[in-house]
Amino acid sequence: MKTTAAALLALASAGGVNVVSYFTLRHNLSLGVYPIDADSIGLPLADGVVVSIVILVCLLTAVRVPKRGVWTVALGMMLAILGGLIASLMAFSWADSKHYPIAIAYLPLAALCATIVVDRIRILASNRVTRGF
């Protein structure tokens, strides 16, 4: 996958997660799922933004790491695994009856991380990398 395409997909997916989170939480608030007197949607929205930034940092760094050395390819793969793990855990944490859209919105980020990992494994298996950094 090209670097620019992966970066744009990561940005769009992270933005999509935050948009879906906002509208889902806002809809649930209007239905009375959350108490009105508490800050019931502000904290999950802020949490989603922070987690999206962490996933984006992992993904964009994994994409930008050079693909020449064994160690740099492995570093990119580990960063993509970390981002995918965080995205998958967030999807599982939102997986309940009132928040399924948010859980589903995290899955493209996890899939993008898996694609980057498979790409790095292919690079390592093809012997196109040099030893060292």
Side-chain angles (χ1 to χ4, degrees):
M1 177 177 284
K2 298 282 186 188
T3 303
T4 307
L8 289 176
L9 277 174
L11 289 170
S13 296
V17 164
N18 292 315
V19 169
V20 169
S21 296
Y22 174 76
F23 284 114
T24 302
L25 293 172
R26 186 75 183 219
H27 177 67
N28 287 345
L29 183 66
S30 67
L31 291 178
V33 175
Y34 313 124
I36 295 176
D37 59 343
D39 188 17
S40 53
I41 67 169
L43 292 174
L45 286 174
D47 179 50
V49 169
V50 170
V51 169
S52 294
I53 290 170
V54 169
I55 294 171
L56 273 176
V57 167
C58 289
L59 274 175
L60 295 177
T61 306
V63 168
R64 293 293 302 156
V65 168
K67 301 173 190 163
R68 292 183 298 246
V70 173
W71 293 107
T72 57
V73 173
L75 174 67
M77 189 167 58
M78 287 182 208
L79 285 169
I81 289 171
L82 178 64
L85 182 64
I86 294 170
S88 299
L89 289 174
M90 287 301 291
F92 287 131
S93 73
W94 282 106
D96 65 350
S97 62
K98 303 278 189 220
H99 302 103
Y100 283 136
I102 300 172
I104 292 169
Y106 275 102
L107 295 179
L109 280 171
L112 181 60
C113 292
T115 304
I116 292 170
V117 169
V118 169
D119 184 47
R120 296 303 186 262
I121 290 172
R122 246 187 284 153
I123 290 170
L124 284 174
S126 69
N127 290 328
R128 288 188 293 164
V129 296
T130 59
R131 291 183 182 230
F133 296 103

